[in-house]
Amino acid sequence: MKTLEDYTPNELATLSTIIGIIIASKYNVNQQNVVANFLFSVAQAIFLISAQIQNIQAQEENQCGDNGKGESNGNNVDLQKQIDELKEHIKRFEDSRKS
């Protein structure tokens, strides 16, 4: 059996269309509205949960960067080291020109 990641976007769209047609054929118009609104509400709950998870993850990543933790701190140290080395090279170059 395929996992969700194994389906292409076109396969998922086709599958959802087929399921929609099958469900619609089993109910009258009023029942179709109830089922459609129910499924829409389920989808909205999933969207809300995933949006909040992304929001929390983004906040945690921002806090790590603000506290000097994580990868950005290591990058800053490397950049500062390169800047210091360049300053030293410039100083040596200027000193050699004065001599």
Side-chain angles (χ1 to χ4, degrees):
M1 182 172 182
K2 286 185 173 183
T3 63
L4 185 61
E5 291 79 15
D6 294 331
Y7 289 97
T8 67
N10 289 340
E11 288 174 329
L12 285 175
T14 303
L15 184 60
S16 69
T17 301
I18 292 169
I19 291 171
I21 291 169
I22 291 170
I23 290 172
S25 69
K26 303 286 182 189
Y27 298 106
N28 65 39
V29 172
N30 292 329
Q31 292 170 327
Q32 289 173 4
N33 278 321
V34 171
V35 172
N37 280 303
F38 174 78
L39 293 174
F40 183 74
S41 294
V42 170
Q44 289 292 67
I46 294 169
F47 280 131
L48 178 62
I49 290 167
S50 65
Q52 184 62 358
I53 289 170
Q54 287 179 327
N55 181 42
I56 291 169
Q57 288 173 343
Q59 293 297 320
E60 288 172 354
E61 288 173 8
N62 287 340
Q63 287 176 356
C64 285
D66 293 343
N67 292 333
K69 297 178 183 175
E71 193 173 313
S72 63
N73 187 41
N75 288 340
N76 290 341
V77 170
D78 291 340
L79 289 173
Q80 187 59 51
K81 184 177 177 182
Q82 290 176 359
I83 290 169
D84 293 341
E85 289 173 1
L86 287 171
K87 285 180 181 178
E88 184 63 33
H89 286 298
I90 291 170
K91 184 178 181 211
R92 284 188 210 148
F93 177 75
E94 289 173 346
D95 289 345
S96 70
R97 291 198 61 181
K98 290 179 185 177
S99 303

